[in-house]
Amino acid sequence: MAEQPVFLSNDVVARFLSYDELIPRLEEVLGRFSRGSSSDVVQPVRSVIPIHNHSGFLGLMPAYIAHEDTLCTKMVAFYRREENVNLPSTQATVLLFNPEYGNVTAVMDGLDITHKRTAAVSAISAKLLMPAQSDVLCILGCGHQAVSHYEIFTKLFSFKEVRVCSRRLETAERFAAGVQGPVTVLSSAKEAVHGADIIITVTNSSKPVLFGEWVKPGAHIVAVGACRPDWRELDDVLMRDAVIYVDSREGAAVESGDIILSGAEVFAELGEVLNGTRPALRNKTTVFKSLGMGIQDAVAAKLVFDEWKSSQ
Ligand SMILES: NC(=O)C1=CN([C@@H]2O[C@H](COP(=O)(O)OP(=O)(O)OC[C@H]3O[C@@H](n4cnc5c(N)ncnc54)[C@H](O)[C@@H]3O)[C@@H](O)[C@H]2O)C=CC1
Ligand SMILES: O=C([O-])C1=[NH+]CCC1
């Protein structure tokens, strides 16, 4: 009989998930995905059902990575919450399987995995696409993803200034008080992005929060929110004028309101840039439209499980 699955809580997952180990694994799997050898990396576009009564969605994100024999699925619930509602905006559970038998070996809380792997992929895009001289980082939205993005961006890069702005000033002030390091809080998004070299949008807005006319030419934008086909974070001007990179072309064509509704053309997947088959146009204004992929969760979950196992 198969062994019972182990349950790894969010604290345990967080203890075993380090960016230093995660980033090279994400780079490798994104490259493999974009090589398109579907026998090696299998990942359908996320299937999503609405949770009508609660302004939410449940996404199912299975993935199989053959060369390392990792079989995994994440189930992620995400919501459009009003700021004064004291309920979580995202919940996630990751199942890791024994691919030979099909039984579940580990059930993990998926929140830390979701926060860190998303921020790590954004940092990979910045490594490839942000201007060579990047002094000012601006983060729009001050929730959970803002925290993980702040952590990894200030760890990997050195900025002269980090600015934040959120829908409500108190949220941005709370964020600034909670992170390790200096942050300038602004009440206007337009002022916050003025002259910024890299702008991260991590909001749960369904309408544009960043407008092309505000953006410094040559800046790199990492757009993490707006994961539904009718949601936007970026306006048409920005989508038209920038060179657009994505994590998955297939996913973007189905899920990204910024791409679908603006009619913008996708220039490349991040994996294509990592593989050297498409160029990183650092001198242009670039957008990385992130949606999140099951393979990203799979490599993160495998890393956590292996580290946890070797600690036993
Ligand atoms: N691309 C990916 O792989 C992933 C994307 N997401 C998405 O990222 C977004 C952020 O996620 P969390 O940080 O967990 O959410 P959260 O609810 O913790 O934070 C959202 C923040 O956006 C702010 N906000 C909302 N409207 C705004 C506006 N108009 N202007 C400025 N700020 C505004 C809110 O005040 C809040 O601070 C969500 O849309 C989520 O669905 C989440 C996980 C993975
Ligand atoms: O990849 C992911 O986990 C998510 N993308 C959008 C909401 C959650």
Side-chain angles (χ1 to χ4, degrees):
M1 211 178 83
E3 274 183 44
Q4 290 300 300
V6 59
F7 175 73
L8 303 182
S9 69
N10 203 44
D11 287 349
V12 173
V13 170
R15 195 165 351 121
F16 289 106
L17 188 55
S18 89
Y19 282 116
D20 293 345
E21 300 285 336
L22 180 59
I23 288 175
R25 285 168 171 78
L26 287 169
E27 286 174 335
E28 207 215 318
V29 80
L30 288 170
R32 281 181 186 270
F33 175 80
S34 293
R35 260 176 243 137
S37 62
S38 57
S39 56
D40 184 33
V41 176
V42 185
Q43 187 213 253
V45 173
R46 168 169 50 211
S47 87
V48 181
I49 59 162
I51 315 169
H52 293 299
N53 291 353
H54 303 281
S55 311
F57 297 89
L58 178 68
L60 183 62
M61 304 175 68
Y64 178 54
I65 305 169
H67 76 279
E68 58 172 59
D69 212 19
T70 301
L71 180 63
C72 181
T73 190
K74 182 169 85 173
M75 287 144 293
V76 60
F78 56 101
Y79 298 85
R80 289 220 53 234
R81 303 280 194 211
E82 292 308 318
E83 206 137 318
N84 53 359
V85 173
N86 197 17
L87 289 168
S89 51
T90 305
Q91 297 273 18
T93 306
V94 176
L95 302 182
L96 199 60
F97 295 80
N98 173 338
E100 194 178 4
Y101 284 74
N103 59 299
V104 174
T105 51
V107 179
M108 299 183 198
D109 191 303
L111 258 196
D112 194 69
I113 288 176
T114 302
H115 296 155
K116 284 193 183 141
R117 64 74 151 143
T118 308
V121 171
S122 298
I124 293 168
S125 106
K127 270 204 286 182
L128 298 168
L129 296 169
M130 74 181 187
Q133 179 71 36
S134 284
D135 293 333
V136 179
L137 166 68
C138 172
I139 305 178
L140 298 182
C142 288
H144 298 90
Q145 288 289 344
V147 173
S148 56
H149 279 73
Y150 178 89
E151 271 169 16
I152 188 62
F153 274 71
T154 55
K155 180 177 147 92
L156 291 187
F157 312 113
S158 39
F159 298 106
K160 291 194 177 135
E161 189 183 9
V162 181
R163 302 178 194 153
V164 297
C165 177
S166 205
R167 192 168 35 177
R168 288 169 56 177
L169 190 59
E170 308 91 271
T171 314
E173 283 168 344
R174 209 174 324 119
F175 172 91
V179 295
Q180 307 273 325
V183 175
T184 311
V185 174
L186 288 131
S187 57
S188 138
K190 185 177 178 181
E191 272 175 48
V193 304
H194 181 75
D197 302 293
I198 171 148
I199 304 164
I200 303 173
T201 58
V202 269
T203 75
N204 52 15
S205 178
S206 57
K207 301 207 169 56
V209 297
L210 181 62
F211 295 82
E213 64 171 31
W214 299 350
V215 172
K216 175 173 154 178
H220 178 50
I221 292 99
V222 179
V224 174
C227 299
R228 297 292 303 149
D230 55 349
W231 290 5
R232 303 291 300 263
E233 277 193 313
L234 314 181
D235 80 337
D236 280 350
V237 173
L238 181 53
M239 291 304 291
R240 188 194 60 214
D241 291 351
V243 182
I244 312 295
Y245 295 80
V246 294
D247 42 14
S248 152
R249 287 175 191 272
E250 224 188 347
V254 176
E255 289 196 319
S256 169
D258 286 325
I259 288 172
I260 297 164
L261 300 175
S262 69
E265 250 183 59
V266 171
F267 178 74
E269 288 180 347
L270 226 45
E272 294 176 299
V273 181
L274 289 162
N275 292 338
T277 53
R278 298 290 277 167
L281 301 177
R282 266 186 198 276
N283 296 331
K284 307 246 180 182
T285 305
T286 50
V287 165
F288 167 54
K289 176 59 223 154
S290 161
L291 288 159
M293 299 165 78
I295 52 169
Q296 299 165 359
D297 300 305
V299 294
K302 175 79 162 46
L303 174 60
V304 169
F305 186 67
D306 289 349
E307 297 282 317
W308 171 82
K309 217 165 168 200
S310 60
S311 77
Q312 296 303 293

